[in-house]
Amino acid sequence: MKKLLLIVLISAPFIAQLVVLPFVNRIDPIIFGLPFLQFWLFLWIVLTPFCTLGIYHLQKSEGSLD
Amino acid sequence: MQQGNLTALSITIFIILTVVLIGFLAGRDKATRSSVEEWSVGGRRFGGLLVWFLVGADLYTAYTFLGLTSTAYTAGSLAFFAIPYSVLAYFISYFFLPKLWKVANEHKLTTLADYARERFDSKLLSSLIAIVGVLMLIPYICLQLSGIQDTLQVAGTGFINVKVVVITSFLLVALYTFFSGIKGPTYTAIIKDVLVWAIMLFMVVSLPIMHFGGWNPMVDKIVTEAPHLLTIPESGPKGVTWFITAAFVSSLALFMWAHAATGVFTAKSADAIRKNALFLPLYNIVLILVVFLGFIAFLVLPDETDPRFALLALIQTSYGGIGQGLAYSTIALASLIPCSIMAIGASNLFANNIYRDLINPKVNGAKLTMITRGMVFVVIGLALLFGLVFPQALVSLQLLGVSGMVQIFPAIVISLFWRNQSREATIIGLLVGLVVTFTVYSTGTSLGIYEGFWGLMANFATVVVLNPIFVKKAKHSSNAVKNYLFDQSSKEEQLVRKGA
């Protein structure tokens, strides 16, 4: 379970910011004053640190952080 | 060029001089230049926040602001590749920088090439890495130089001789770097980062209001008048594929740069680095907004504007003397301070890994420290020479900088995790990667994919295919760094498992 969560947290920033780009490459809908592509990139500026934080805590709880 | 503004020019010069003065004051304690380790990585005593400022100051340069806005002005949303690039660079760094820092700390290493030398017992590899590093870094310093030159040209036309002022300010920076080492750019980095955040946010808020009546009317106007700016081109030489591969390769390359590594090695603990990996992505909030300044420039400025001056011309047409002065000085500092850290990185590589590893292995500590410091003048001098005399020769090197730097990734990062990676395969892989990158670039056969991506794939493939041939030696050989990385931890694990 923890292993799965770790894999999700590690791969999410790559998938969101590289792999899915062709699908988010659009103007509509405009959210918070940002066209969709820019909103999406902005969203992941904020979400990526949470992924890192999650990984940090997982590693800490496993004691694998040296 | 239009006549500058005297108030703006005075503010810019005043702020530059103040910062240079602080740079000197930062080094009034003699200990700052007592050894290479003190001078170049501040004795590894910097906490999380200071490293954040330093790395932030390091990576967000004048070229970032001027280059991104001019890319946005001409190529629209392609400029946004910088966002996933740097967000991912910090994310990836979380997984290897703490480890690299610990090896460097344990074995008193100050450059990435030092690490490669100790890890692979190879002075050939370390000097190769140093040559690539210096060769790619000098053009990058030149970019900073042209950044401040353009800024002073806009601010000071009609009042000053721009070239003289540029040369003087760079010599002053070289002098304070020589004197204070990494302490100089660290303390001034705080001023620069605060100014960057304040001024960029001020511009992002005020410019849409001044020209369009607010942020939302501005976005509406871009959507109706220039929608092509807001998405990445679907096809063409630089489309979505280029965007993805460029962002990915650049993110792997970021901490391979000598100046970025220097910043990282100043940290006092692996945890300070983890915190940085966590918080540095937030720096990009300002970057995403800066790209919009390029869109504003596209809508506001006359068609014949030189894209290189997009941001500067936008500032000039929008603000009075004080606003212009603060904005220009921000860009000038974003040029000078990274330049200082880059010079430290390049000098360190040259003195440690080209001079000591290749030419004079018996050099003593005091002499090596002096040579490292003195190299600052050579590096900045070369950058000035190339930048002012042969600006055209640099264009290719600048374009290829990232693609070239990333080729040391297997030698530096993969080797932290792969015990049996052999020296021979790594060296050949690095060379193959460089050759493929340059060939793809010069023959124009990139097929819409970032050049460095081809090089890196060739590099990886070479290492994987050749490694079995040399693996026997690598398996049986051991050294302090290898022990530290692989054997010690496995011993500890065994102890833990045994319940000891």
Side-chain angles (χ1 to χ4, degrees), chain B residues 5 28 43 70 90 92 103 169 215 230 257 291 332 372 388 424 441 485 491:
Chain B
N5 178 307
R28 63 193 186 283
S70 86
Y90 306 133
I92 295 169
V103 181
S169 50
W215 181 271
L230 290 174
W257 288 98
V291 178
T372 313
L388 297 175
E424 293 80 1
Y441 172 74
L485 277 173
K491 261 179 222 150

Side-chain angles (χ1 to χ4, degrees), chain B residues 142-173:
Chain B
C142 291
L143 276 180
Q144 307 311 326
L145 195 109
S146 63
I148 196 172
Q149 197 175 346
D150 290 354
T151 308
L152 286 172
Q153 203 175 329
V154 172
T157 295
F159 300 110
I160 52 170
N161 182 329
V162 174
K163 284 212 162 116
V164 172
V165 178
V166 169
I167 293 172
T168 318
S169 50
F170 269 73
L171 288 180
L172 282 173
V173 169

Side-chain angles (χ1 to χ4, degrees), chain B residues 428-444:
Chain B
I428 300 170
L430 168 61
L431 293 174
V432 168
L434 288 171
V435 170
V436 168
T437 302
F438 280 85
T439 316
V440 168
Y441 172 74
S442 54
T443 55

Side-chain angles (χ1 to χ4, degrees), chain B residues 96 100 111-116 119-120 129 255-256 407-417 421 426:
Chain B
F96 72 88
L100 189 61
T111 68
L112 294 179
D114 279 348
Y115 162 74
R119 165 70 177 77
F120 291 103
I129 288 174
F255 284 98
M256 299 300 106
Q407 304 307 331
I408 71 169
F409 191 84
I412 304 297
V413 182
I414 307 291
S415 67
L416 287 166
F417 302 94
Q421 187 179 344
T426 308

